Amino acid sequence: MTAVRPAASAAICINGVDFPVPADPRVSLLDLLRETLQLHGTKKGCNQGACGACTVLVDGERIVSCLSLAVQHAGRSVTTIEGLANEQGLHPLQQAFIEHDGFQCGYCTPGQICSAIGMAAESKRGVPSHVTRDLGDDHVAPTHDEIRERMSGNLCRCGAHNGIIAAIRDTYAEAAE
Ligand code: FES
Ligand code: FES
């Protein structure tokens, strides 16, 4: 069977810069980021969708990049941890992680932060979680329980979860409880 190859002009926008999609359609988005583009902020933990260390944002939605082929993202916009800070400084959530001791070794941290940004957007537009009581709400406040549930796909082997939750709540407090 002939492999489907992307058009030569196909590009993925990563942190605001266009990169060609890999010619090999088997390359995961995670491997494109880490191995080809040397963007090592996105971490490889399990490489099978179970830990969340590789979470990035694609058009604002959080995904685990180890389970996603790079070619799927031609024409889309990917944001990694390297793309969150700007000339004004760190993203507010990055700053909150520092202030709340939301990490120890830091290996899970880029995935935690990207995931939390995507999670906050999901809550804001009313996407329910397993613990959401009213499925009719068009906005779900990021309460402690909602954050715990929604971040359950991002594991922290250092056990920094209390600081992680505190940082997320602090950042998105305007909508909390
Ligand atoms: S490395 Fe992708 S979920 Fe673990
Ligand atoms: S800070 Fe070490 S795994 Fe989370």
Side-chain angles (χ1 to χ4, degrees), residues 43-54 64 66:
K43 298 297 189 280
K44 181 180 282 187
C46 64
N47 205 29
Q48 57 180 11
C51 74
C54 65
V64 283
C66 67

Side-chain angles (χ1 to χ4, degrees), residues 124-143:
K124 198 170 181 181
R125 64 174 189 271
V127 176
S129 78
H130 182 65
V131 300
T132 304
R133 293 190 179 167
D134 187 348
L135 300 184
D137 279 353
D138 58 7
H139 171 90
V140 181
T143 62

Side-chain angles (χ1 to χ4, degrees), residues 53-114:
C54 65
T55 306
V56 299
L57 298 162
V58 177
D59 293 337
E61 301 282 347
R62 55 181 173 165
I63 67 161
V64 283
S65 58
C66 67
L67 291 188
S68 188
L69 296 172
V71 293
Q72 293 175 267
H73 302 293
R76 304 181 77 184
S77 180
V78 176
T79 303
T80 71
I81 192 72
E82 291 93 343
L84 294 181
N86 58 28
E87 48 288 347
Q88 272 81 52
L90 294 175
H91 185 285
L93 187 56
Q94 291 177 301
Q95 188 61 42
F97 264 64
I98 294 171
E99 290 166 7
H100 289 277
D101 282 336
F103 54 87
Q104 189 172 319
C105 77
Y107 200 81
C108 72
T109 311
Q112 299 277 5
I113 290 174
C114 287

Side-chain angles (χ1 to χ4, degrees), residues 140-156:
V140 181
T143 62
H144 183 265
D145 287 348
E146 285 283 355
I147 293 171
R148 279 175 56 96
E149 171 62 23
R150 289 169 187 268
M151 293 299 294
S152 60
N154 288 83
L155 307 182
C156 176

